[in-house]
């Protein structure tokens, strides 16, 4: 692999825009590619891989560049060296003689011992991870710094998983069944699937295996009334609807019209007729009050720091802060309390996040249970056994990339006393 002057310039510019951390990195990349629509597929691949690779290992790259300033140009050069394992010669005329000499010095540099750099996690995140050894923090950080696989969820209303596996393999796609979700398929590569006939026919959706498990532990059944309280674009809503075999009533609540709009074409493809999207003004909207005490199951996939999704969104660890997490904690507690009012006696409430921080997870659940003695925690092992999911967890679902090859997820199942 060799890099030309133009590719290096594009990588430098994209990294420079991403490390401002004023908007999501994927939005930066999408906008850049729209502005430079003549870039070929190979150039786009190199630019995206290198820029995201630099974000994933930004603390390490900065440490290598120190005491020099970590400019976008230097970050781009060192990222090519470390992430793509390029040697200095392969930079050809893209880099100056002075830059090549500097890179030669960087190549043999040994980093000083630092938990922050070794784990690729900011100090404030490490401090909030709870009781973990340095080795556990480093293993977690390394797991979060890897790229995520591409997982699909089969729509069981339209096809069985084994049949879909066979069809995809016949199309030349290398894939296998996911180890935990009975609905999941993991691809070895990341092809574009938006134009695939089976995607257009609603046979499958792209969904991380961990996200599938959150839907499955909700345990929705035929004929029930189920609420997806923070439905977003509806990935879990569609899973719940298929679990219900398109019967009963499934409400998809969200405060964002833009997110709910993305659910419409997905719902149309899925063939589900039991989904009722509802735009809320807030978690205390009158639409919520109308369903008080009526729902069999309520899933709260709460707004959170997203630190469990660093494999896909490596910029989040720099865009979040202790203050933003504290604001989220207040919102999480309020949403969970409001959603709990919908649950009927004997019904279940699932609280979930894609965070790894106890402040957003166990602490929120413990405070809720202290304020709501009419709810009790259902052990996660019991719930996983009900759904025939081969995982041992204890009280909560705690998925971690280095252990389960999923995004980082947390979930608790709470049951309302009869």
């Amino acid at each position: 692999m060799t890099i030309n002057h133009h590719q290096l310039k594009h990588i430098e510019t994209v990294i420079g825009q991403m490390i401002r951390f004023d908007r999501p990195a994927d939005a930066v990349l999408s906008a850049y590619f729209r502005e430079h629509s003549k870039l070929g597929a190979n150039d786009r691949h190199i630019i995206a891989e290198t820029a995201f690779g630099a974000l994933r290992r930004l603390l390490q790259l900065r440490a290598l560049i120190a005491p020099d300033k970590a400019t976008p140009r230097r970050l781009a050069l060192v990222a090519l060296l470390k992430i793509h394992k390029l040697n200095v010669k392969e930079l050809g005329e893209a880099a100056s003689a002075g830059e090549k000499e500097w890179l030669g010095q960087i190549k043999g540099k040994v980093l000083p011992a630092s938990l922050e750099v070794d784990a690729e996690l900011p100090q404030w995140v490490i401090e909030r991870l709870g009781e973990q050894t340095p080795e556990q923090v480093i293993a977690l950080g390394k797991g979060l710094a890897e790229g995520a696989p591409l997982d699909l969820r089969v729509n069981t209303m339209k096809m069985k998983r084994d049949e879909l596996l066979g069809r995809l393999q016949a199309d030349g796609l290398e894939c296998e069944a996911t180890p935990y979700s009975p609905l999941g398929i993991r691809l070895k590569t990341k092809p574009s699937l938006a134009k695939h006939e089976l995607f257009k026919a609603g046979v499958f959706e792209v969904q991380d295996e961990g996200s599938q498990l959150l839907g499955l532990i909700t345990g929705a059944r035929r004929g029930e009334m189920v609420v997806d309280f923070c439905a977003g674009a509806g990935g879990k809503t569609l899973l719940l609807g298929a679990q219900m075999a398109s019967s009963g009533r499934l409400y998809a609540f969200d405060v964002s019209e833009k997110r709910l709009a993305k659910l419409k074409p997905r719902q149309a493809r899925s063939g589900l007729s039991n989904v009722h999207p509802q735009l809320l003004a807030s978690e205390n909207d009158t639409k919520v009050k109308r369903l008080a005490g009526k729902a069999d199951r309520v899933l709260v996939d709460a707004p959170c720091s997203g630190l469990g999704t660093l494999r896909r969104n490596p910029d989040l660890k720099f865009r979040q802060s202790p203050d933003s997490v504290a604001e989220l904690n207040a919102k999480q507690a309020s949403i969970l309390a409001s959603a709990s009012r919908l649950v009927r006696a004997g019904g279940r409430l699932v609280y979930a996040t894609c965070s790894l921080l106890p402040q957003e997870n166990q602490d929120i659940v413990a405070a809720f249970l202290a304020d709501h003695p009419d709810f009790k925690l259902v052990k996660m092992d019991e719930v996983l056994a009900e759904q025939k999911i081969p995982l041992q967890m204890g009280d909560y679902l705690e998925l971690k990339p280095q252990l389960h090859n999923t995004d980082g997820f947390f979930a608790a199942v709470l049951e309302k006393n009869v």
Side-chain angles (χ1 to χ4, degrees):
M1 176 179 170
T2 54
I3 294 290
N4 62 44
H5 166 73
H6 294 294
Q7 288 167 332
L8 180 56
K9 192 69 196 159
H10 286 303
I11 292 165
E12 177 190 345
T13 308
V14 170
I15 289 174
Q17 291 180 12
M18 283 181 173
I19 62 172
R20 290 179 201 151
F21 302 119
D22 54 359
R23 56 190 170 136
D26 55 357
V28 169
L29 194 66
S30 298
Y32 192 83
F33 285 160
R34 278 197 301 275
E35 285 166 29
H36 299 82
S37 54
K38 291 196 169 74
L39 281 169
N42 186 50
D43 284 345
R44 285 169 183 253
H45 176 74
I46 291 167
I47 295 162
E49 286 291 304
T50 311
F52 268 90
L55 281 183
R56 287 197 176 95
R57 290 170 175 79
L58 187 58
L59 297 173
Q60 185 191 109
L61 298 187
R62 281 175 174 168
L64 283 167
I65 292 166
D68 293 323
K69 191 181 178 201
T71 61
R73 176 79 174 182
R74 286 181 181 137
L75 285 167
L77 287 166
V78 180
L80 287 165
L81 205 70
K82 290 290 178 183
I83 293 158
H84 293 297
K85 307 286 189 259
L86 292 192
N87 62 48
V88 176
K89 287 178 187 167
E90 287 173 299
L91 290 169
E93 292 176 13
S96 69
E99 284 172 331
K100 287 177 185 173
E101 188 183 337
W102 176 76
L103 283 170
Q105 294 163 4
I106 293 277
K107 200 160 189 181
K109 190 170 177 180
V110 178
L111 287 172
S114 156
L115 184 55
E116 202 174 342
V117 172
D118 289 346
E120 272 298 335
L121 292 170
Q123 188 60 37
W124 73 268
V125 174
I126 293 170
E127 286 167 5
R128 283 162 181 76
L129 280 174
E131 298 294 314
Q132 295 203 38
T133 65
E135 291 75 20
Q136 287 172 321
V137 172
I138 290 167
L140 173 63
K142 285 186 171 168
L144 288 166
E146 293 298 318
L150 180 62
D151 293 348
L152 312 179
R153 176 187 59 79
V154 64
N155 177 2
T156 49
M157 297 286 294
K158 298 205 169 187
M159 199 175 280
K160 287 191 164 65
R161 176 167 71 172
D162 287 350
E163 187 185 346
L164 177 58
L165 257 174
R167 294 279 294 272
L168 294 174
Q169 286 164 348
D171 288 344
L173 296 172
E174 277 191 81
C175 53
E176 61 189 9
T178 48
Y180 309 119
S181 168
L183 308 174
I185 290 174
R186 179 160 293 153
L187 275 74
K188 293 273 168 68
T189 56
K190 293 186 179 177
S192 175
L193 296 168
K195 291 179 180 162
H196 195 285
E197 58 171 324
L198 295 177
F199 175 76
K200 291 195 284 187
V203 173
F204 67 83
E205 285 278 341
V206 173
Q207 187 176 30
D208 181 78
E209 184 182 19
S211 182
Q212 295 178 36
L213 295 180
L214 295 189
L216 288 164
I217 64 168
T218 305
R221 295 176 188 156
R222 291 168 188 258
E224 289 187 333
M225 181 184 284
V226 178
V227 180
D228 188 352
F229 202 82
C230 306
K236 287 181 255 331
T237 310
L238 300 177
L239 186 159
L240 296 171
Q243 271 190 307
M244 297 163 74
S246 201
S247 63
R249 285 183 85 74
L250 173 55
Y251 291 96
F253 287 166
D254 206 273
V255 293
S256 166
E257 193 167 4
K258 197 173 169 185
R259 283 196 295 261
L260 279 180
K262 289 178 181 172
L263 169 58
K264 280 186 183 169
R266 298 174 83 184
Q267 184 186 339
R269 282 197 306 270
S270 74
L272 294 173
S273 58
N274 64 336
V275 180
H276 302 275
Q278 304 261 307
L279 181 66
L280 302 185
S282 76
E283 66 267 25
N284 296 309
D285 195 300
T286 51
K287 290 172 189 158
V288 176
K289 288 170 185 167
R290 281 188 213 130
L291 295 179
K294 292 179 180 173
D296 296 284
R297 295 165 202 274
V298 178
L299 170 60
V300 177
D301 183 8
C304 70
S305 63
L307 292 171
T309 67
L310 292 180
R311 300 186 308 170
R312 301 167 201 284
N313 309 299
D315 52 315
L316 276 176
K317 60 189 167 189
F318 303 109
R319 290 176 49 231
Q320 295 288 7
S321 68
D323 288 346
S324 67
V325 171
E327 278 177 37
L328 284 163
N329 292 159
K331 193 181 282 187
Q332 288 154 352
S334 176
I335 289 171
L336 183 57
S338 182
S340 73
R341 287 179 280 185
L342 303 184
V343 185
R344 66 162 175 80
R348 283 187 178 179
L349 172 64
V350 178
Y351 175 76
T353 74
C354 51
S355 172
L356 300 157
L357 305 184
Q359 296 81 7
E360 299 186 82
N361 298 336
Q362 292 92 335
D363 294 0
I364 296 290
V365 173
F368 173 82
L369 288 171
D371 289 343
H372 297 80
D374 52 335
F375 279 85
K376 65 182 180 195
L377 183 73
V378 183
K379 284 191 179 296
M380 190 53 65
D381 281 344
E382 192 183 308
V383 179
L384 293 167
E386 283 171 9
Q387 296 300 321
K388 298 182 174 59
I389 294 166
L391 266 173
Q392 296 278 298
M393 280 281 161
D395 286 349
Y396 306 109
L397 185 74
E398 293 181 82
L399 298 171
K400 293 174 182 172
Q402 79 278 20
L403 299 176
H404 307 108
N405 202 13
T406 66
D407 286 344
F409 282 106
F410 168 88
V413 176
L414 310 166
E415 193 165 279
K416 190 169 185 181
N417 301 330
V418 178

